[in-house]
Each structure stands twice: as structure tokens, then as C-alpha cells.
Amino acid sequence: MRIKLRKLLIGCMAIVFLTAVLPVQQVQAASKIEGFDVSSKNGVIDWETVAASDMDFVMLRTGEGQAPDVDEQFEANYEGAKEAGLKVGAYHVCCVRTPEAAALEAEYCLEILGGRELDYPLAYDIEKAGCFADGKSNTTAIAKAFCEVIADAGYTPMIYSSTSYLNEYFDWSELDGYKVWVAYYGESKPKLLTPVDIWQYTSEGSLEGANTDRGYCDLNYSYMEATSVKFVQSSLTMKKGTTTVAEVKLGPSGCTDTVTFKSSNKKVVTVNKSTGKMRAKAKGKAVITVKTGSGKTAKLKVTVK
């Protein structure tokens, strides 16, 4: 019998703002986005069976290092995942100790991809002990070199490693803006020096159709897609000439999805597209709409007196 993965309900939602002046209220909890990752080590995946599961996305291994080490199941896994209706991301295993070699691995990874579209990021799997042998600055340079090549090719780069490695061997001031995928097999979400976009919470998960050879597979939660968005207030009254920030809450807790704001009447209220800062321009009414990168929307009614 297929073991369904449990949905964790979150009571607290992530707050997105610069400076907030609006009161806080409770927002209904939302479930996490669930996914898994596989490679040739999992054998031949039964994607038809996987399609009947509760999975939302999958991360596929392209290969390790440089040519000719390609994951022999990548092409079949990509086609099968797409047919199963899953969102697809990928990862490539780091086997080098210099930034120059990391850039070559990125080029090889892109060659394996062959221009295929990805819904999720393209991650650099940095976990082999040798990758950390030359210290924090070198590991950071390796990650940055790979990510820059991936970004130039039009994909979203990501860095994968364990909690301890990510905190100890990466300089996040140099890697600011890159997505992060962390391996941490604990009960609660790991604490990093940078936001977590994907959390690999177990390496011994059960998912019928995906654990064909190993008897288990890696399971993940994604925070890159909001499952809900809501303004802290549904309506607001402002005085002409004043400013405030439209405060919204995202689910699940710790969500890293993007948000954009838009005003229905800029003559009455303007709003900064990315920060949500509103300015009351003239007497009247307007509606502020927030939209997440995953397509969720909410509206705030504003009256200016």
C-alpha cells in the first residue's frame, strides 16, 4: 500500500515588508509544497504510479563532474516527470576543487540538459569532502563560478549541501540572491545564515514508484511557491499626503516566493511594485493587488480622506 506523505500545517505565516504599521492578525494555515529527488541510483522510475501521489515537483540528477559522467536515467526521468505533470528541477554533483573547474562542470551540465526547460532551479550539489578542503573562500568561489554560468544560460541557479556545510563553508555575502537547497534530517526546519528555498527533510522516504531500487528516496519541501497570500487588513483608510507599507503574509511559513504590488487608481494611491510602500495622493478609493510569483493574489481596499 502506498504510504501518503503527511502534510504539515503551519500556524505562523511569513511576513513580507520593509516597515510595517498595520496590526497583525491570524491567517489560515497552508500546506507545504512537497517533492522528491531521484537519480539513476533509484533505478527505473514508475512515473505513472508517481503521478498518482501527492508530489508537486521533482529534482533530477544530470550527472557528476565533467564528461562522460552523465546520469543514465536523466533523459527518461525528465520525460517521465513531465508526463506525470510534475514541476521539474535538476542538480549536478560537484567533483572539483577550483572555480575554473566548477565553470567547466556547469558547461557540461548545460550540455546534458540540452536546452530543456526547467520549472525549478538548477542546483549545484556540493557535498563531497574534497570540495571543502581549501576553505570557505574557495568553496564560495566554486559555488559562484558554477552559478554564474547557469544564470547566464537562463536558468535559476541553486546551491545544495548540508546545514553544517552551508553555514560553515559558504560566504553568503558573496552568494546573495542564489537559491538554497538544504539537507537536514531533523523534525524542525533547519536554521541557516540565508533563506531556505528547498528543505530535503529525509533520505529514507517512501514513495511508491520512485524507490524502486534503493527501497527509499529523498523527500523535500519547497518554500519557493506560496500556497496562500493575504493582506493583514482587508481595508485601510489613509490621509492625503501620508505613506505606509502594505503588509502581507505568505504561506507556508518561511516562504521565499516573490511578491509584486499594483494600484487600481494611481491618482489616488501609488504603490511601490516590489516593497508595497503606498502614498496617498488624493481623496478617493483604490484597490491594491498583491501577486506572488506562483500566481496567488489578494486585494486591499484603500480609502483616502
Side-chain angles (χ1 to χ4, degrees), residues 6 9 28 30 54 61 76 85 87 107 111 115 121 128 135 172 195 223 243 250 268 275 299 301:
R6 63 188 178 93
L9 298 180
Q28 185 176 358
D54 296 327
R61 187 177 71 168
K87 293 183 178 180
E107 294 289 353
E111 181 181 331
K128 294 181 180 293
W172 295 107
Y223 298 90
T243 63
L250 299 178
V268 174
T275 67
K299 296 183 183 297
K301 298 177 181 179

Side-chain angles (χ1 to χ4, degrees), residues 31 34 127 163 175 221 273:
S31 300
E34 294 184 290
E127 58 180 312
T163 305
L175 300 170
Y221 291 133
K273 181 179 179 180

Side-chain angles (χ1 to χ4, degrees), residues 17-242:
F17 62 89
L18 286 184
T19 56
V21 296
L22 305 180
V24 175
Q25 66 183 39
Q26 293 297 317
V27 180
Q28 185 176 358
S31 300
K32 290 188 177 74
I33 303 295
E34 294 184 290
F36 61 110
D37 59 269
V38 292
S39 68
S40 58
K41 295 179 181 179
N42 296 85
V44 179
I45 307 299
D46 182 349
W47 290 103
E48 185 176 348
T49 299
V50 171
S53 72
D54 296 327
M55 295 294 101
D56 300 293
F57 71 97
V58 61
M59 301 292 285
L60 308 175
R61 187 177 71 168
T62 54
E64 294 192 17
Q66 300 180 33
D69 198 347
V70 60
D71 190 298
E72 61 186 21
Q73 288 296 320
F74 172 72
E75 289 190 14
N77 283 343
Y78 181 89
E79 296 301 325
K82 283 294 187 180
E83 290 179 7
L86 294 169
K87 293 183 178 180
V88 177
Y91 69 96
H92 195 85
V93 179
C94 175
C95 298
V96 299
R97 292 178 60 171
T98 69
E100 294 77 15
L104 293 176
E105 286 192 337
E107 294 289 353
Y108 179 51
C109 175
L110 293 172
E111 181 181 331
I112 296 171
L113 275 176
R116 292 178 177 84
E117 293 184 0
L118 295 178
D119 310 290
Y120 263 55
L122 178 50
Y124 201 21
D125 180 344
I126 309 176
E127 58 180 312
K128 294 181 180 293
C131 301
F132 307 98
D134 297 316
K136 183 175 183 177
S137 60
N138 188 66
T139 303
T140 300
I142 287 173
K144 191 171 184 178
F146 183 93
C147 289
E148 286 178 344
V149 174
I150 297 305
D152 287 344
Y155 294 99
T156 301
M158 172 176 268
I159 299 167
Y160 168 93
S161 197
S162 68
T163 305
S164 57
Y165 280 149
L166 289 171
N167 281 332
E168 185 176 353
Y169 286 99
F170 295 86
D171 183 350
W172 295 107
S173 66
E174 292 289 327
L175 300 170
D176 184 46
Y178 290 133
K179 299 292 185 182
V180 173
W181 179 12
V182 60
Y184 175 72
Y185 309 139
E187 291 295 325
S188 59
K189 186 179 176 182
K191 295 181 179 180
L192 295 184
L193 301 176
T194 187
V196 174
D197 298 286
I198 298 179
W199 170 22
Q200 185 185 84
Y201 66 90
T202 182
S203 62
E204 299 181 349
S206 178
L207 177 63
E208 187 175 355
N211 52 328
T212 51
D213 280 11
R214 301 174 67 186
Y216 52 87
C217 69
D218 302 331
L219 301 180
N220 302 267
Y221 291 133
S222 170
Y223 298 90
M224 295 190 298
E225 300 179 73
T227 57
S228 66
V229 61
K230 187 174 184 178
F231 282 99
V232 171
Q233 287 186 326
S234 59
S235 62
L236 176 68
T237 299
M238 299 178 65
K239 291 183 178 181
K240 179 182 175 181
T242 62

Side-chain angles (χ1 to χ4, degrees), residues 33 225-229 250 257-258 290-298:
I33 303 295
E225 300 179 73
T227 57
S228 66
V229 61
L250 299 178
D257 204 346
T258 59
V290 62
K291 184 176 182 180
T292 70
S294 56
K296 300 291 188 299
T297 61

